[in-house]
């Protein structure tokens, strides 16, 4: 590795030439929003760069007369000769009124980015995928990528290359988000109206990212418009949204966006019955709010302040008898809050700096309350809370030495507060459950991007972390290498080898995908988990419309934990979480992924196929043998297509197919030799059976109308699960039997394992009004 | 409480869910299930059953009982046969002289079933009993309104490894009808799940994990009254039989594997494969050292 680095740096420094550098930001001409991933090419030298996540770029010029081309999907390309050294380039978006041909030819970007392993999705792309109840969702859109799958139907928990949902690093404006789910995961907590761009990595992890071992999802929100006030309203079944944005003075913009659901209106009849007679009443409320302020400072720096808060509140009330006071209540609540302040600044023309201070707070509360009958006044109450709070400070310097070499270097310090369980109950429980843990994490990284020739790019990085908790010190070194070779314009070969550390674990109840995962700190028994991954691939442009990517990977995971046999986090009041898990597990995953992308034309879409395997091994589970991981999906196939029929009408459809998930089932049943009137089961190995395969077709049609005032109205209609497939979310065993009274021995019985589907065929409609 | 919470959470999912469809689980073919033990008094009792597919509709099959045959082996030499005592319970055709250094196993077969062969088992060390004390009563920890009789057992633990014990209580009324006593370990919190005691109806499994000192002591409570439907007068025990066994860890696993979650709760828990020490079938065969006592009230 040292030799390779030396050779690459030799090329870099001895091939560099004198330069007239041009730097600045690329922004939307109307809103002044910075544009991420804009291509900037020097037509004289044929060199090119792309703007970073803050729209910043810096490019070499042989002379001040060099012609520079700025191009970005959905925007008119500019070619300019610029005499200045620093400039803000304003690109004009194609307007709504442009002709049909232009729409068809400019509507899709390439998925095959310049950075190895990175896939960038714009909201324009995400909005074309039919979504449940018409609710556009960024995380669900990712599930159409190969190697990525939703943990459960309808949910936003992502499983990437054989990992588990907690192993994905999700950043919202640089701040980690621990729970990305609303409505049991039917929606992600990310309001689609505020997302500007989404970068997703399942390999080739840059050293600037750390803390998770499966994937990185870096979500950037957009700024409010600096030029014009604007409002947007959306009325939907699952959620209704509003957005307001505009300038505050010349240099500051605001953006406020919120969502809430009105599902409790649908359960109103149940409430009346519950109140006046008896029965069950279910109430669900969710709300989220995003606020962002962006300021251009006089020193040419920029300051961003982002707040994100979400709250879900699910309640189940039950009363069996109208005359009785007996009732029971279950409340499930979960909260996410992130606050981040970012300061970015160009230092000279070659250096870009950013500093972020953030807070992330996640809490999940389960509250049960029971009051017994007319005669009894007993009340049983329990309240269990799990929470994690992070306060972090990170700073990063990006230095662009020349076209052949740039590097990023940075530091991040995080203070973690874990409270895996905080239990309050009207009955006796183990007080040790309520322990609080404080962790201190310090990471540093350097990431080098080296381009010795125009056809070869190497990203060599290393990340080092020290973590202190409970008077113990842990450390981890993470080397990251990714290489890309582009022999022709339409062919890209790439490979990456990397290690990732994760200084936290999550214990999850194995069933359902309820947000009942308990974040727990590392410990002597379960030190940081880490994964080593080797990934190789090829991407090729088949023609102007189609591109194909094939990737293969192999991954090993260490220090995995899992719930011990028979343990249940939801219902144990005697044991602490530390007494309920198996440690020192190892994992292995491998797979081949094929991805076809049709990016141009009236019909656009993707097709992806994955053949993969993910296994785990624990000393005390399955006699120490390998077993299929819960999230192992042997085959995954998905199709997504969007057809723009006219300026008014567009159609979208998607179909996905997954191998069923592994579950543990009995091998046989027996009547106990000592008559007891019930069956007992002979249980087999863990995950010894697979649920039936999963498949689902969705379809939607949208009508867009531009009003005389220039506002946009969009009406969407669609069908979720078109052919009403009953896909199993989980299974329930059920039995009926007859016993011989005198001995209590079973004489006749029926046992069944019943799959419980989640969502049948569901029509949906949504209406969006954009006041421009 | 536990069940209530589980039912609540299940209810959450029932709302808005699709209709259910059953899944047929694979079945490897019928096999014999044995649950037997050889006692150090030279007798053995073996309960025999068969497996059925895990899903489907079935009627009890008793046709194979008549064809069951089997033998007990000591150091690979056949020393006794099994004979039917009642329905599915089999015993040795003769009392044997046990040898604590010998290895014992059984073979059992029936028409259309593969022959079941148990692993070789050895007798655990004999209990070095110090005393039994059957006097005294106290309030139950499980049901504070009721009174339970106390049994105190003291024994020497000369074996440095962790040992497991089964204490089984049987009670009978004045007409010698078997009752259902509730047994509890009075030394520990009834809701504790610390691995010290496993309580199921009329027996307790415990280990010396939680007993300090060289002389181990365990204090057991058991109920002597049983409420009867449609009667104000409870049935009262007039006799108590106690058996105190030194069991192996495997037997502990086997017995505890039978209980646990059932029905709805199975949807929430990962279940361990039940311990088995037989080939071509399921179940287990053990050798136990047993002390039995009888008390009349």
């Amino acid at each position: 590795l040292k030799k390779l680095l030396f050779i690459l740096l030799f090329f870099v420094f001895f091939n560099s030439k004198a330069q007239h550098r041009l730097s600045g930001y690329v922004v939307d001409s109307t809103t002044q929003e910075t544009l991420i991933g804009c291509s900037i090419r020097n037509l004289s030298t044929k060199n090119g760069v792309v703007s970073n996540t803050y729209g910043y770029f810096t490019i070499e010029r042989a002379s001040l007369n060099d012609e520079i081309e700025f191009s970005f999907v959905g925007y008119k390309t500019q070619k300019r000769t610029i005499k200045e050294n620093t400039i803000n380039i304003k690109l004009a978006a194609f307007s709504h009124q442009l002709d049909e041909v232009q729409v068809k030819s400019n509507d899709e970007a390439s998925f095959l980015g310049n950075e190895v392993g990175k896939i960038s999705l714009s909201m324009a792309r995400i909005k074309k995928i039919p979504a449940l109840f018409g609710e556009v969702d960024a995380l669900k859109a990712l599930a159409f990528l190969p190697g990525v799958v939703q943990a459960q139907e309808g949910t936003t928990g992502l499983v990437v290359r054989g990992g588990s949902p907690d192993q994905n690093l999700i950043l919202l404006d640089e701040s980690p988000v621990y729970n990305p789910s609303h409505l049991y995961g039917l929606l992600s907590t990310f309001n689609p109206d505020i997302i500007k761009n989404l970068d997703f990595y399942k390999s080739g992890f840059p050293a600037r990212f750390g803390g998770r071992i499966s994937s990185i999802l870096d979500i950037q929100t957009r700024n409010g418009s600096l030029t014009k006030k604007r409002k947007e309203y959306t009325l939907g079944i699952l959620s209704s949204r509003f957005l307001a944005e505009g300038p505050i003075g010349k240099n500051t913009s605001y953006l406020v966006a919120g969502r809430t659901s009105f599902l409790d209106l649908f359960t109103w009849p149940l409430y009346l019955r519950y109140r006046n007679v008896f029965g069950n009443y279910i109430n669900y409320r969710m709300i989220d709010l995003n606020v962002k302020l962006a300021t251009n400072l006089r020193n040419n720096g920029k300051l961003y302040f982002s707040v994100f808060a979400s709250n879900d509140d699910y309640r189940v009330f039950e009363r069996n008898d109208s005359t009785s006071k007996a009732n029971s209540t279950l409340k499930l609540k979960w909260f996410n809050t992130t606050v981040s302040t970012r300061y970015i600044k160009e230092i000279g023309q070659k250096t870009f700096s950013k500093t972020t201070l953030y807070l992330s707070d996640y809490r999940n509360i389960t509250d049960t309350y029971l009051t017994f009958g007319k005669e009894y006044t007993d009340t049983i109450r329990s309240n269990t809370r799990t929470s994690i709070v992070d306060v972090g400070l990170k700073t990063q310097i990006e230095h662009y030495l020349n076209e052949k070499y740039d590097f990023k270097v940075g530091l991040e310090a995080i203070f973690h507060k874990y409270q895996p369980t905080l239990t309050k109950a009207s009955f006796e429980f183990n007080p040790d459950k309520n322990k609080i843990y404080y962790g201190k994490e310090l990471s540093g990284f350097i990431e080098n991007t080296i381009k010795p020739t125009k056809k070869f790019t190497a990203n060599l990085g290393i990340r080092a972390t020290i973590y202190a908790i409970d008077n113990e010190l842990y450390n981890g070194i993470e080397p990251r290498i990714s290489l890309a070779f582009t022999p022709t314009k339409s062919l890209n070969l790439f490979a990456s080898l990397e290690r990732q550390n994760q200084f936290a674990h999550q214990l999850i109840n194995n069933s359902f995908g309820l947000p009942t995962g308990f974040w727990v700190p590392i410990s002597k028994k379960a030190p940081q988990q880490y994964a080593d991954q080797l990934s190789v691939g090829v991407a090729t442009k088949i023609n102007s419309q189609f591109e194909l990517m094939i990737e293969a990977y192999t991954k090993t995971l260490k220090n995995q934990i899992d719930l011990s046999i028979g343990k249940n986090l939801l219902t144990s009041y005697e044991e602490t979480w530390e007494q309920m898990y198996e440690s020192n597990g190892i994992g292995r995953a491998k797979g081949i992924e094929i991805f076809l992308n049709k990016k141009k034309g009236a019909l656009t879409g993707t097709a992806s196929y994955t053949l993969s395997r993910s296994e785990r091994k624990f000393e005390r589970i399955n006699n120490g043998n390998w077993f299929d991981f819960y999230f192992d999906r042997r085959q995954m196939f998905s199709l997504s297509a969007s057809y723009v029929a006219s300026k008014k009408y567009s159609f979208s459809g998607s179909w996905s197919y997954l191998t069923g998930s592994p579950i543990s089932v009995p091998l046989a049943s027996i009547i106990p030799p000592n008559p007891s009137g019930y069956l007992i089961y002979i249980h087999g190995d863990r995950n010894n059976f697979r649920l039936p395969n999963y498949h689902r077709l969705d379809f939607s049609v949208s009508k867009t109308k531009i009003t005389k005032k220039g506002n946009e109205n969009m009406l969407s209609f669609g069908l979720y699960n078109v052919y009403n497939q009953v896909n199993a979310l989980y299974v329930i065993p059920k039995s009926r039997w007859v016993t011989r009274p005198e001995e209590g021995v079973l004489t006749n019985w029926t046992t069944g394992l019943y799959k419980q589907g989640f969502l049948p065929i569901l029509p949906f409609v949504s209406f969006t009004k954009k006041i421009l | 409480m536990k069940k209530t919470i589980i039912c609540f959470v299940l209810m959450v999912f029932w709302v808005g869910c699709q209709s259910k469809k059953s899944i047929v689980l694979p079945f490897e073919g019928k096999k014999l299930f044995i649950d037997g033990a050889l006692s150090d008094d030279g007798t053995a009792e073996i309960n025999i059953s068969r497996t059925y597919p895990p899903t489907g509709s079935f009627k009890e099959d008793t046709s194979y009982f008549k064809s069951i045959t089997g033998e007990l082996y000591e150091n690979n030499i056949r020393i006794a046969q099994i004979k039917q005592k009642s329905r599915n319970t089999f015993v040795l055709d003769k009392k044997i002289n046990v040898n604590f250094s010998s290895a014992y196993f059984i073979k059992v077969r029936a028409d259309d079933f593969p022959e079941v062969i148990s692993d070789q088992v050895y007798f655990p060390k004999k209990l070095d009993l110090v005393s039994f004390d059957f006097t005294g009563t106290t309030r139950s920890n499980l049901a504070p309104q009721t009174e339970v009789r106390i049994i105190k057992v003291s024994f020497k633990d000369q074996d440095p490894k962790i040992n497991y014990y089964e204490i089984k209580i049987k009670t009978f009324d004045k007409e010698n009808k078997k009752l259902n006593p509730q047994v509890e370990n009075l030394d520990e919190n009834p809701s504790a799940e610390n691995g010290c005691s496993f309580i199921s109806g009329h027996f307790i499994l415990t280990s010396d994990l939680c007993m300090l000192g060289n002389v181990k002591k365990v204090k057991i409570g058991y109920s002597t009254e049983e409420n009867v439907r449609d009667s104000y007068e409870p049935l009262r025990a007039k006799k108590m039989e106690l058996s105190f066994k030194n069991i192996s860890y495997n037997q502990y696993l086997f017995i505890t594997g039978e209980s646990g979650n059932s029905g709805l709760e199975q949807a929430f828990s990962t279940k361990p494969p039940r311990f088995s020490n037989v080939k071509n079938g399921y179940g287990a065969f053990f050798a136990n050292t047993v002390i039995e006592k009888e008390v009349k009230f």
Side-chain angles (χ1 to χ4, degrees):
Chain A
L1 183 65
K2 281 181 185 171
K3 282 182 182 173
L4 178 65
L5 189 63
F6 178 78
I7 293 166
L8 290 170
L9 291 175
F10 178 84
F11 270 95
V12 165
F13 289 110
F14 287 88
N15 284 307
S16 59
K17 296 169 187 171
Q19 46 190 270
H20 298 273
R21 187 163 283 276
L22 174 70
S23 65
Y25 294 87
V26 187
V27 298
D28 179 294
S29 62
T30 308
T31 63
Q32 304 294 304
E33 176 70 69
T34 52
L35 300 178
I36 300 168
C38 174
S39 170
I40 301 112
R41 289 186 68 222
N42 185 329
L43 299 177
S44 307
T45 63
K46 307 294 181 195
N47 286 328
V49 295
V50 293
S51 58
N52 72 7
T53 51
Y54 291 87
Y56 175 79
F57 72 94
T58 174
I59 189 168
E60 285 177 19
R61 292 180 293 182
S63 77
L64 295 178
N65 295 322
D66 286 1
E67 191 178 28
I68 311 294
E69 180 189 81
F70 300 86
S71 62
F72 190 62
V73 172
Y75 286 78
K76 292 172 185 170
T77 298
Q78 278 189 31
K79 290 179 186 174
R80 291 176 61 179
T81 301
I82 301 162
K83 299 297 180 187
E84 297 91 346
N85 291 328
T86 303
I87 193 168
N88 282 356
I89 293 293
K90 295 176 182 176
L91 291 187
F94 291 118
S95 69
H96 291 292
Q97 281 77 19
L98 93 175
D99 65 58
E100 201 172 316
V101 177
Q102 279 178 302
V103 171
K104 286 175 182 173
S105 60
N106 287 283
D107 58 359
E108 192 50 71
S110 169
F111 279 124
L112 313 180
N114 294 325
E115 217 172 325
V116 172
K118 179 169 112 174
I119 291 173
S120 291
L121 288 180
S122 65
M123 276 317 294
R125 170 68 210 156
I126 292 166
K127 283 178 177 175
K128 286 182 177 175
I129 296 170
L132 175 61
F133 296 119
E135 300 283 347
V136 173
D137 198 290
L139 264 62
K140 285 193 191 133
L142 289 174
F144 285 92
L145 298 174
V148 185
V149 64
Q150 286 174 239
Q152 298 278 13
E153 178 176 23
T155 68
T156 52
L158 290 180
V159 172
V160 181
R161 288 188 168 177
S164 53
D166 62 289
Q167 292 171 346
N168 306 316
L169 174 67
I170 299 175
L171 296 173
L172 180 68
D173 284 342
E174 306 270 355
S175 180
V177 176
Y178 279 90
N179 177 38
S181 301
H182 270 316
L183 273 162
Y184 290 111
L186 287 177
L187 284 179
S188 77
T189 49
F190 306 116
N191 186 334
D193 295 335
I194 56 108
I195 295 177
K196 178 164 69 176
N197 189 68
L198 180 156
D199 291 335
F200 180 66
Y201 299 84
K202 52 187 179 177
S203 64
F205 302 110
R208 61 184 181 274
F209 297 111
R212 297 290 183 276
I213 62 172
S214 270
S215 76
I216 296 156
L217 178 59
D218 185 15
I219 299 172
Q220 299 99 32
T221 62
R222 65 187 186 83
N223 301 332
S225 173
L226 262 174
T227 55
K228 194 178 173 185
K229 286 189 178 178
R230 184 177 156 274
K231 288 174 186 168
E232 188 176 321
Y233 306 96
T234 300
L235 200 59
I237 294 174
L238 278 187
S239 78
S240 294
R241 314 192 290 268
F242 82 94
L243 179 146
E245 62 177 318
I248 305 172
K250 278 187 176 179
N251 293 316
T252 303
S253 69
Y254 70 90
L255 184 146
V256 181
R259 286 191 298 179
T260 189
S261 71
F262 297 115
L263 283 178
D264 45 351
L265 294 178
F266 293 93
T267 58
W268 191 248
L270 286 175
Y271 173 70
L272 293 177
R273 190 177 74 129
Y274 163 80
R275 186 173 172 174
N276 300 321
V277 193
F278 62 91
N280 301 333
Y281 166 54
I282 289 157
N283 192 10
Y284 188 95
R285 293 194 184 108
M286 78 86 175
I287 187 166
D288 63 39
L289 182 71
N290 288 84
V291 177
K292 188 173 183 184
L293 297 172
T295 305
N296 295 327
L297 302 172
R298 285 180 184 173
N299 66 356
N300 209 24
K302 293 175 192 288
L303 190 65
Y304 302 98
F305 177 70
S306 308
V307 177
F308 159 67
S310 77
N311 171 217
D312 286 64
D313 189 335
Y314 185 93
R315 298 176 185 211
V316 180
F317 305 88
E318 185 184 28
R319 196 151 62 114
N320 295 322
D321 178 355
S322 61
T323 60
S324 167
K325 289 179 182 174
N327 65 73
S328 52
T329 308
L330 169 70
K331 296 177 189 171
L332 298 173
K333 301 177 188 178
W334 51 107
F335 305 86
N336 263 317
T337 306
T338 68
V339 181
S340 67
T341 303
R342 291 172 290 159
Y343 173 67
I344 64 164
K345 176 85 171 70
E346 181 190 32
I347 305 167
Q349 273 200 292
K350 290 184 172 181
T351 307
F352 177 84
S353 73
K354 65 173 180 180
T355 302
T356 307
L357 176 66
Y358 65 83
L359 163 79
S360 178
D361 183 356
Y362 167 62
R363 280 168 288 156
N364 171 250
I365 297 169
T366 306
D367 195 4
T368 59
Y369 185 90
L370 293 100
T371 305
F372 296 103
K374 276 180 282 189
E375 294 83 8
Y376 300 98
T377 53
D378 287 345
T379 296
I380 293 178
R381 180 159 199 175
S382 77
N383 180 300
T384 300
R385 188 174 98 168
T386 176
S387 66
I388 180 166
V389 179
D390 285 356
V391 178
L393 175 66
K394 57 183 170 184
T395 186
Q396 178 178 314
I397 303 284
E398 300 174 15
H399 185 75
Y400 301 87
L401 183 68
N402 55 40
E403 299 300 329
K404 295 182 169 60
Y405 179 67
D406 64 72
F407 70 86
K408 298 179 179 73
V409 62
L411 281 173
E412 180 171 11
I414 313 172
F415 175 78
H416 303 275
K417 180 188 170 191
Y418 296 91
Q419 187 151 35
T421 52
L422 170 60
T423 300
K424 297 172 188 172
S426 60
F427 48 88
E428 201 172 333
F429 65 93
N430 184 349
D432 291 341
K433 289 174 74 69
N434 293 351
K435 188 178 173 186
I436 299 175
Y437 304 81
Y438 298 99
K440 299 171 201 83
E441 184 175 351
L442 180 66
S443 304
F445 72 86
I446 181 163
E447 186 186 320
N448 306 277
T449 305
I450 304 164
K451 296 178 182 173
T453 71
K454 285 182 181 174
K455 292 182 177 177
F456 183 75
T457 304
N459 188 300
L460 308 176
I462 192 158
R463 186 178 180 89
T465 303
I466 300 171
Y467 193 100
I469 191 165
D470 265 359
N471 299 319
E472 295 288 335
L473 206 59
Y474 304 84
N475 62 71
I477 302 286
E478 301 165 57
R480 315 272 178 87
I481 303 170
S482 60
L483 307 170
F485 178 58
T486 313
T488 68
K489 281 184 179 177
S490 58
L491 184 65
N492 186 16
L493 307 171
F494 52 90
S496 64
L497 178 64
E498 63 239 330
R499 167 168 289 191
Q500 299 91 242
N501 281 315
Q502 180 169 332
F503 288 83
H505 297 279
Q506 193 180 36
L507 280 170
I508 309 171
N509 270 0
N510 298 330
S511 45
F512 303 133
L514 262 174
T516 49
F518 288 48
W519 283 96
V520 299
I522 58 170
S523 61
K524 271 185 175 176
K525 182 182 171 187
Q528 79 264 24
Q529 49 182 320
Y530 61 94
D532 295 321
Q533 181 178 225
L534 171 67
S535 183
V536 294
V538 56
T540 180
K541 214 177 268 182
I542 298 170
N543 55 35
S544 64
Q545 295 197 350
F546 287 94
E547 55 191 20
L548 176 72
M549 184 157 63
I550 300 172
E551 272 190 276
Y553 68 90
T554 176
K555 193 195 285 193
T556 57
L557 303 96
K558 299 282 171 60
N559 289 340
Q560 300 297 287
I561 66 171
D562 200 347
L563 269 188
S564 298
I565 288 169
K567 301 295 181 187
N568 190 322
L569 290 163
L570 274 174
T571 56
S572 174
Y573 293 95
E574 292 81 23
E575 292 174 293
T576 66
W577 63 271
E578 288 151 310
Q579 296 167 310
M580 297 173 71
Y581 72 93
E582 300 294 324
S583 59
N584 296 320
I586 56 175
R588 63 186 182 194
K590 58 186 174 183
I592 295 173
E593 300 163 349
I594 301 170
F595 188 50
L596 182 68
N597 181 23
K598 184 176 186 303
K599 58 178 188 169
K600 280 187 177 177
L603 179 69
T604 57
T606 61
S608 75
Y609 172 75
T610 306
L611 178 65
S612 63
R613 181 160 202 177
S614 179
E615 298 167 292
R616 295 292 182 272
K617 186 177 178 181
F618 289 84
E619 189 184 348
R620 298 203 305 175
I621 298 175
N622 286 9
N623 297 318
N625 295 318
W626 288 101
F627 61 92
D628 292 337
F629 188 42
Y630 311 107
F631 299 112
D632 175 48
R633 301 288 186 276
R634 203 54 51 85
Q635 297 194 72
M636 298 179 261
F637 181 70
S638 69
L639 271 174
S640 157
S642 177
Y643 179 68
V644 181
S646 67
K647 279 189 281 186
K648 280 187 177 178
Y649 290 98
S650 63
F651 301 86
S652 298
S654 66
W655 186 73
S656 47
Y657 170 92
L658 305 171
T659 305
S661 54
I663 58 168
S664 306
V665 298
L667 299 169
S669 60
I670 55 170
I671 302 170
N674 299 310
S676 52
Y678 59 87
L679 282 175
I680 59 175
Y681 291 94
I682 306 284
H683 285 270
D685 287 341
R686 182 170 288 194
N687 294 347
N688 59 346
F689 184 72
R690 281 188 184 264
L691 288 174
N693 297 334
Y694 176 103
H695 49 97
R696 194 190 80 224
L697 176 69
D698 304 333
F699 175 77
S700 72
V701 55
S702 296
K703 183 184 177 185
T704 305
K705 188 180 176 186
I706 307 296
T707 64
K708 287 176 184 174
K709 290 182 180 176
N711 298 328
E712 182 183 298
N713 295 339
M714 189 168 82
L715 183 67
S716 298
F717 166 80
L719 285 172
Y720 180 87
N721 195 0
V722 172
Y723 52 85
N724 200 28
Q725 170 66 18
V726 180
N727 289 306
L729 180 65
Y730 62 100
V731 291
I732 294 180
K734 282 197 160 190
S735 305
R736 290 196 314 271
W737 57 76
V738 178
T739 57
R740 202 160 39 239
E742 67 273 17
E743 293 168 289
V745 174
L746 290 177
T747 54
N748 298 282
W749 67 94
T750 300
T751 59
L753 194 66
Y754 293 87
K755 64 176 178 175
Q756 192 71 55
F758 191 37
L759 294 167
I761 181 170
L762 287 170
F764 59 82
V765 62
S766 74
F767 178 73
T768 302
K769 186 174 187 69
K770 289 183 186 174
I771 301 170
L772 301 168
Chain B
M1 181 64 201
K2 194 172 163 183
K3 286 189 175 178
T4 310
I5 291 173
I6 288 169
C7 288
F8 272 3
V9 181
L10 272 181
M11 201 160 64
V12 167
F13 284 91
W14 281 336
V15 174
C17 285
Q18 279 177 279
S19 60
K20 301 157 194 167
K21 286 191 177 176
S22 67
I23 295 169
V24 177
L25 294 179
F27 182 51
E28 60 195 349
K30 61 183 185 180
K31 291 182 177 178
L32 290 176
F33 178 91
I34 64 169
D35 179 2
L38 176 64
S39 296
D40 57 348
D41 64 359
T43 63
E45 186 170 292
I46 303 138
N47 291 303
I48 300 172
S49 180
R50 60 156 284 191
T51 63
Y52 296 87
T55 53
S57 295
F58 308 97
K59 283 184 177 177
E60 181 195 13
D61 174 18
T62 55
S63 61
Y64 62 100
F65 289 153
K66 285 181 184 170
S67 66
I68 290 174
T69 59
E71 306 86 29
L72 174 73
Y73 291 79
E74 179 181 3
N75 295 333
N76 293 322
I77 297 166
R78 192 170 72 179
I79 56 169
Q81 289 187 311
I82 64 170
K83 63 176 185 182
Q84 191 171 21
K85 178 186 169 192
S86 62
R87 209 170 163 275
N88 65 335
T89 303
F90 290 75
V91 293
L92 298 181
D93 61 350
K94 61 184 178 190
K95 200 168 181 175
I96 63 164
N97 292 319
V98 302
N99 187 336
F100 273 65
S101 60
S102 292
Y104 295 91
F105 70 93
I106 58 167
K107 288 182 180 178
V108 177
R109 66 197 71 79
D111 289 349
D112 302 326
F113 287 86
E115 182 181 70
V116 172
I117 305 169
S118 78
D119 288 348
Q120 293 191 336
V121 293
Y122 295 86
F123 280 99
K125 282 186 178 173
K126 272 206 164 186
L127 285 160
D128 193 355
L129 206 65
V130 175
S131 67
F132 275 114
D133 180 355
F134 296 105
T135 58
T137 60
T138 187
R139 290 270 170 202
S140 165
N141 282 338
L142 297 174
Q145 306 91 335
T146 60
E147 205 165 64
V148 291
R149 281 181 172 267
I150 299 171
I151 303 172
K152 293 177 189 165
V153 184
S154 303
F155 56 95
K156 279 186 182 170
D157 182 25
Q158 292 165 341
D159 193 346
K161 66 179 189 189
I162 300 164
N163 297 296
Y164 294 84
Y165 309 96
E166 182 196 80
I167 302 163
K168 192 178 276 185
I169 307 282
K170 290 180 188 172
T171 54
F172 303 86
D173 67 1
K174 60 185 177 186
E175 292 163 357
N176 214 28
K177 187 182 168 190
K178 202 173 161 186
L179 304 179
N180 295 300
Q182 185 65 48
V183 179
E184 59 188 288
N185 186 343
L186 296 170
D187 290 329
E188 66 183 26
N189 183 331
S191 61
E193 290 179 8
N194 55 13
C196 289
S197 286
F198 175 87
I199 302 171
S200 179
H202 62 289
F203 71 86
I204 286 181
L205 302 184
T206 188
S207 80
D208 51 18
L209 261 176
C210 309
M211 301 182 212
L212 299 174
N214 194 28
V215 175
K216 308 293 184 189
K217 293 175 182 172
V218 58
K219 192 167 142 191
I220 305 297
Y222 66 98
S223 60
T224 54
E225 291 188 353
E226 186 174 316
N227 290 322
V228 184
R229 210 174 177 182
D230 304 327
S231 170
Y232 290 106
E233 278 297 308
L235 291 175
R236 290 192 174 85
K238 291 293 174 188
K239 186 176 80 173
M240 184 276 292
E241 288 177 5
L242 175 143
S243 74
F244 188 79
K245 286 182 192 170
N246 187 357
I247 63 174
S248 65
Y249 178 60
N250 286 339
Q251 192 167 1
Y252 178 88
L253 289 179
F254 178 73
I255 298 169
T256 54
E258 184 178 326
S259 70
N261 299 333
S262 61
L264 290 177
E265 292 188 36
Q266 292 189 29
F268 282 87
S269 292
T270 49
K271 296 284 288 184
R274 196 177 183 201
F275 174 82
S276 176
N277 69 355
V278 302
K279 294 180 185 73
N280 305 324
Y282 294 103
F285 180 72
F286 299 104
N288 297 137
T289 54
V290 187
I291 293 171
E292 291 178 328
K293 296 281 176 185
E294 183 181 301
V295 177
K296 289 184 178 170
F297 314 126

